[in-house]
Amino acid sequence: MSQITSDIQSSTDEGGLPAQTAIVLAALVALAVVSALGFELSGWRVGAAAFIGALAGIALYHTSFGFTAAWRRIVTQKRGQGLRAQFLLIALVSLISFPLIQYGSDIGLPAGGFVFPFGIGAAFGAVLFGIGMQLGGGCGSGTLFTVGGGSSRMVITLFFFILGSVVATAHVPFWNDLPRLPAISLLRWFGTGPALALTILPLIALAALSVFMEKKQWGNLEKPRKTASLFKGEWGFILGALILALVCVLTFIILRRPWGITSGFSLWGAKLFYNLGIPVETWPYWQWQVGAIKRSVFADSTSVMNFGIVLGALIAAGLAGKFKPTKKINLRDAGTAMIGGLLLGYGARLSYGCNIGAYLGGITSGSLHGWLWLVFAFAGSMLGARVRYWIGMDGAPVTARQESG
């Protein structure tokens, strides 16, 4: 079981049925309210985003489809099952998103992609994000679903994630002035077919490399994780990839863009600063988004979808009878959650998002920046995994001899 699942389950115990039922009912009511507010303020598409997010939260909770643990496992244990599931997810979404971006307008389904320039600032931000995801214990999606699943520590990570995000917006002009590559779209350069080949073939190659590494280390591949129960147990990675691919496709169709998470965090932080009297509306990053700062957070599609993820995970945890947050967090865990959250937030804003918006959203948009984000964030994740070991968050890497013994 992945580290994120362990984090949730270590903070939860079997609760009484009435209490867990009440949690599920409360989460369902909250989800309906969030959707209704989104619908009233911004239309049916934003209202629907709450339910798309809830579907993501349920799938993320049951599969522990966080990117953090999968990246750490391939580095420290040479186990690549989770990594290959990510590649499957990206490939499945790209098969739909590429034609949709290119030809969706012709069939009444216009959709745009995330295509951004990438330079020194973005590379530095991606490295910071990679370190932060290992110290904080989650990525963008991982932080949200673990909060919904009952992890008290991840509430700290989320708060400092938000803080780091808004602080970074004050510095974005400086980082954007540093040398960078232009925005490069494989779809614009090569067309749908060649762009798909240039995306899926590297994913296959990386998956094959992970298989080689795993077999070399262990002599065999880890047994595929199976779906134990739709409501109480963990799900297999393939089922998780299929459902999350559906989430991504629905987001493209309904919100007309890729799935994103961390822009919502920046907005939450900006609204907090604004209400505290800090003039964020004068910062260059926010000067063209003053209306977003002043409007209700429920008018923002990313925020509504984020709320849906938390509530979906809460529903899943309640149905499984496992929602019971801990009340005590030791000093080391609190400290790493704070530092990790700040790095996550600051890094995400410099590098156009997190594992969802920059990595998954970038690659499934046919953008070169998604691949470059992967390279630098993975490098940061490797460093973060080493730091975890140095400070005692993890034991020594597992070897084939230790596992067989």
Side-chain angles (χ1 to χ4, degrees):
M1 186 175 291
S2 74
Q3 179 66 35
I4 290 182
T5 300
S6 299
D7 288 345
I8 292 176
Q9 292 189 344
S10 67
S11 66
T12 60
D13 297 305
E14 291 292 333
L17 181 60
Q20 297 297 318
T21 301
I23 288 168
V24 173
L25 292 175
L28 287 170
V29 171
L31 180 63
V33 170
V34 169
S35 177
L37 289 171
F39 175 83
E40 181 181 357
L41 294 169
S42 296
W44 73 269
R45 295 181 187 278
V46 175
F51 294 101
I52 301 173
L55 179 60
I58 292 169
L60 289 165
Y61 177 85
H62 280 294
T63 59
S64 295
F65 211 100
F67 292 68
T68 306
W71 286 17
R72 185 165 64 247
R73 287 199 79 207
I74 193 65
V75 171
T76 62
Q77 300 181 31
K78 302 299 187 292
R79 287 298 195 188
Q81 184 177 170
L83 193 66
R84 292 188 290 273
Q86 295 174 21
F87 297 154
L88 174 62
L89 169 61
I90 294 170
L92 289 172
V93 176
S94 297
L95 288 170
I96 304 297
S97 63
F98 281 22
L100 200 60
I101 292 171
Q102 285 286 83
Y103 308 111
S105 296
D106 298 335
I107 58 174
L109 295 173
F114 290 162
V115 183
F116 300 117
F118 196 94
I120 293 174
F124 179 66
V127 170
L128 289 183
F129 187 91
I131 298 171
M133 66 194 291
Q134 296 301 337
L135 293 181
C139 48
S141 57
T143 299
L144 288 176
F145 91 76
T146 47
V147 166
S151 173
S152 302
R153 177 179 183 272
M154 295 307 289
V155 173
I156 299 175
T157 298
L158 177 58
F159 176 82
F160 283 90
F161 202 144
I162 294 168
L163 183 60
S165 294
V166 69
V167 168
T169 62
H171 306 152
V172 163
F174 166 79
W175 293 106
N176 283 348
D177 283 341
L178 299 178
R180 57 181 180 170
L181 296 172
I184 297 175
S185 168
L186 300 180
L187 284 167
R188 294 197 196 105
W189 278 35
F190 302 107
T192 303
L196 274 173
L198 289 170
T199 299
I200 293 177
L201 290 177
L203 293 174
I204 293 173
L206 289 171
L209 176 61
S210 74
V211 168
F212 172 79
M213 292 171 61
E214 189 168 345
K215 285 187 173 181
K216 183 178 179 181
Q217 175 73 17
W218 302 98
N220 54 29
L221 294 180
E222 188 175 21
K223 291 182 180 180
R225 200 172 72 188
K226 297 181 179 180
T227 300
S229 168
L230 288 178
F231 296 106
K232 292 188 177 295
E234 63 182 11
W235 293 357
F237 279 125
I238 292 179
L239 177 60
L242 289 171
I243 294 180
L244 291 175
L246 175 61
V247 167
C248 292
V249 171
L250 288 174
T251 306
F252 267 108
I253 292 173
I254 294 177
L255 298 184
R256 299 177 174 177
R257 57 160 175 81
W259 180 11
I261 288 178
T262 58
S263 65
F265 295 172
S266 299
L267 178 60
W268 300 351
K271 292 176 74 66
L272 174 63
F273 276 27
Y274 179 78
N275 288 324
L276 291 175
I278 300 173
V280 290
E281 74 278 7
T282 65
W283 300 355
Y285 183 93
W286 294 107
Q287 285 177 348
W288 62 279
Q289 301 181 76
V290 175
I293 296 175
K294 294 182 178 181
R295 285 194 302 269
S296 167
V297 71
F298 296 104
D300 176 59
S301 61
T302 301
S303 297
V304 168
M305 194 166 175
N306 286 349
F307 297 146
I309 293 172
V310 174
L311 292 170
L314 178 56
I315 291 167
L319 289 173
K322 296 178 179 177
F323 183 83
K324 189 178 179 183
T326 56
K327 297 180 180 179
K328 295 181 180 180
I329 303 173
N330 65 46
L331 185 60
R332 185 197 64 192
D333 287 349
T336 52
M338 292 176 189
I339 295 170
L342 288 172
L343 294 175
L344 284 165
Y346 198 92
R349 204 69 276 123
L350 298 190
S351 58
Y352 310 109
C354 62
N355 53 295
I356 297 297
Y359 172 35
L360 177 59
I363 293 179
T364 59
S365 297
S367 178
L368 179 64
H369 92 272
W371 288 103
L372 294 173
W373 190 95
L374 168 61
V375 171
F376 287 96
F378 193 84
S381 180
M382 292 175 65
L383 177 57
R386 177 57 60 180
V387 173
R388 285 176 63 97
Y389 171 65
W390 288 338
I391 63 178
M393 293 180 71
D394 293 325
V398 179
T399 66
R401 180 178 298 175
Q402 289 172 329
E403 186 176 81
S404 63

